[in-house]
Amino acid sequence: MPEKQNVPVVKAGDVTQRVGVEVIRVRGVDVEKLIKMLIANAAAEFASTYYYYTILRMHLAGHEDYKEICEDARLEDRAHWELIVPRIYELGGELPNDLPAFHDQAGCRAAKLPDPPTAVNILTLLLESERCAIRSWIEICDMTFGKDPRTYDMASRILNEEIEHEAWFIELLAHERDGKSIPSGHFRRGEPGHAPYSKNAGFYNP
Ligand SMILES: [Fe+2]
Ligand SMILES: [Fe+2]
């Protein structure tokens, strides 16, 4: 069989290069840029949302239903973080060995507790954070579609959940702020932080 054209050969036993990276580079992925974007998205999942959503959820006291939805979104963002990090290392990248530096690279603004911390203000912040996540993940999908199936699969799983999160917070904010019913199609996850797409769990129908 003739050797594939344009594919640089990683020599047998060479541990300094990865065929898993080479093949996506050959297909047109800017791997360095992709690693940077994945680190920015990991920082957004971990710092901008998972960490700050913890504080936001605490302040939804008195709204047990809102707390529960916020908790699902919070834990699913942690699942996203867990999913992204191994991919960064597989691609030859690494996390900054400095937490403040990592935080500052986040692709989304920190979801800091609003003042005053009313349910409307918190839900607005949650909604806009999810929207930032959707925009960030679709960029990774666009960049990897048809070229890097592994990153694309991961990004599209995360995107599925971010789109659901947006729908949840539209429903809750419309209800809380405007007294309006805009259904998200959501009932509840099987258990908090179920993450049906990013944890590979079966979704909706057991
Ligand atoms: Fe997320
Ligand atoms: Fe989310």
Side-chain angles (χ1 to χ4, degrees):
M1 212 172 113
E3 238 183 300
K4 262 203 164 175
Q5 291 299 304
N6 303 325
V7 180
V9 179
V10 176
K11 297 213 168 52
D14 181 357
V15 292
T16 66
Q17 295 193 64
R18 296 161 193 258
V19 174
V21 170
E22 203 179 78
V23 291
I24 63 171
R25 209 191 291 281
V26 165
R27 281 162 180 77
V29 175
D30 180 339
V31 177
E32 283 64 42
K33 188 176 173 200
L34 177 61
I35 291 170
K36 256 190 154 178
M37 288 165 74
L38 289 175
I39 292 173
N41 284 15
E45 299 287 354
F46 182 78
S48 308
T49 56
Y50 172 61
Y51 178 82
Y52 287 107
Y53 278 20
T54 308
I55 299 169
L56 298 183
R57 194 209 59 203
M58 299 295 175
H59 284 267
L60 284 170
H63 301 272
E64 289 304 306
D65 42 358
Y66 298 174
K67 267 162 88 176
E68 185 172 319
I69 303 297
C70 182
E71 180 68 351
D72 279 333
R74 182 183 87 93
L75 292 176
E76 290 185 2
D77 282 348
R78 190 181 71 187
H80 299 166
W81 146 261
E82 293 290 350
L83 199 61
I84 305 158
V85 171
R87 188 66 186 136
I88 291 170
Y89 282 84
E90 268 179 10
L91 288 167
E94 60 183 3
L95 293 176
N97 192 23
D98 180 73
L99 190 54
F102 177 61
H103 171 279
D104 292 345
Q105 289 177 38
C108 294
R109 279 178 61 188
K112 287 192 172 178
L113 187 67
D115 181 21
T118 60
V120 166
N121 287 345
I122 291 174
L123 291 170
T124 304
L125 196 66
L126 287 162
L127 174 60
E128 293 309 321
S129 297
E130 301 301 341
R131 288 176 165 169
C132 179
I134 292 173
R135 292 185 184 111
S136 307
W137 283 112
I138 200 124
E139 255 191 84
I140 304 273
C141 287
D142 287 345
M143 204 176 160
T144 54
F145 183 70
K147 298 173 191 161
D148 173 359
R150 184 158 167 82
T151 306
Y152 177 82
D153 177 62
M154 179 195 82
S156 66
R157 282 162 188 259
I158 295 174
L159 181 65
N160 267 301
E161 286 171 359
E162 307 298 11
I163 289 169
E164 292 189 351
H165 296 174
E166 182 195 31
W168 301 348
F169 294 123
I170 285 175
E171 177 179 298
L172 297 183
L173 181 60
H175 170 77
E176 177 69 23
R177 187 188 62 196
D178 309 326
K180 264 174 120 183
S181 170
I182 304 180
S184 63
H186 169 258
F187 175 50
R188 71 184 304 181
R189 295 300 203 208
E191 57 191 42
H194 187 57
Y197 294 90
S198 62
K199 277 189 183 165
N200 247 344
F203 42 94
Y204 300 135
N205 294 313

